[in-house]
Amino acid sequence: MSTDNRFFYEPSKGHGLPHNPLNAIIGPRPIGWISSRNRQGQRNLAPYSFFNCFNYDPPIIGFASTAWKDSVANIDETGEFVWNLTTRRLAEQMNLTSAPLPRGTDEFEFAGLTPVAGNIVAADRVAESPVNFECKLTQCIQLTDANGDKIDTWLVLGEVVAVHIEKHLLSAEGVYQTALAEPVLRAGGPSAYYGISDEQRFDLHRPTL
């Protein structure tokens, strides 16, 4: 439906478009490439495009999973996970880890990635990723709709208890160089991703009164 020059729809009634525009509008989004282990020690690695950072001190990051998937089950069991930065060089391997493999399959092995034990948590880091956050579970929340009815989506929040950064990503002054890592960001549609570059950077300083 359109009103004047605006396309309008109510999500509960459908959008009538070839693809849901929500993901494209709220994007590009950082990717939650989450590694975990279950109680038996089996590894899991999966990407989640609903991911972000939610607190500075203590640092808390989180991702949302539609349905109770292996990552959520593992983290609920063990209370630990690792976030791994997805870069352009690792994009294809990250995509491989989204394959619907049988439970218990090792996505590290499937995608040709190297697991490295965390310093604090038992979950493994992706050695090829230049940045890793070791995390302890703080909350696992089942989301509800506006009526208070529970939906099959789970928000997993974790405190970052250890950080690994490849030194070449830090300037001489110790400032992390975001674009230098070539992070990959998820956009809309079934296949769209974006990168960032220093050419697209601009700076704004918060106003002071």
Side-chain angles (χ1 to χ4, degrees):
M1 177 188 298
S2 62
T3 57
D4 299 323
N5 65 336
R6 300 264 178 149
F7 181 84
F8 172 82
Y9 72 96
E10 297 174 57
S12 63
K13 299 177 182 178
H15 48 74
L17 298 171
H19 195 275
N20 191 331
L22 180 72
N23 296 4
I25 295 167
I26 305 176
R29 302 179 307 283
I31 297 170
W33 202 13
I34 306 298
S35 50
S36 61
R37 282 178 178 259
N38 61 19
R39 285 200 189 106
Q40 291 72 44
Q42 294 173 311
R43 284 187 291 263
N44 182 266
L45 178 62
Y48 292 87
S49 68
F50 286 172
F51 164 84
N52 223 304
C53 181
F54 297 101
N55 199 56
Y56 263 129
D57 187 17
I60 293 176
I61 64 172
F63 69 95
S65 172
T66 53
W68 188 264
K69 295 178 180 174
D70 289 349
S71 297
V72 182
N74 291 352
I75 296 166
D76 185 63
E77 284 182 3
T78 65
E80 299 178 339
F81 65 96
V82 175
W83 171 78
N84 306 277
L85 177 67
T86 300
T87 64
R88 183 63 188 90
R89 181 172 59 86
L90 295 170
E92 284 74 18
Q93 287 166 293
M94 175 277 297
N95 190 50
L96 280 176
T97 64
S98 70
L101 303 174
R103 183 171 175 80
T105 303
D106 189 337
E107 285 85 2
F108 280 87
E109 183 177 336
F110 179 75
L113 296 163
T114 308
V116 178
N119 288 38
I120 295 178
V121 305
D124 296 276
R125 298 185 288 117
V126 175
E128 290 81 2
S129 174
V131 182
N132 319 96
F133 293 167
E134 299 183 36
C135 301
K136 296 267 191 179
L137 176 67
T138 59
Q139 292 171 277
C140 183
I141 304 164
Q142 185 173 12
L143 300 186
T144 65
D145 62 19
N147 295 319
D149 297 323
K150 293 181 177 180
I151 58 178
D152 194 19
T153 297
W154 302 83
L155 175 62
V156 178
L157 299 171
E159 179 179 344
V160 179
V161 295
V163 178
H164 305 257
I165 305 172
E166 288 190 359
K167 291 181 179 178
H168 79 278
L169 297 178
L170 300 173
S171 70
E173 296 77 26
V175 178
Y176 180 79
Q177 302 299 295
T178 303
L180 186 59
E182 297 186 302
V184 169
L185 308 170
R186 187 69 170 95
S191 61
Y193 289 84
Y194 283 91
I196 62 172
S197 68
D198 276 324
E199 287 72 25
Q200 296 172 307
R201 171 180 169 170
F202 63 96
D203 291 84
L204 295 173
H205 296 280
R206 291 185 182 181
T208 57
L209 300 178

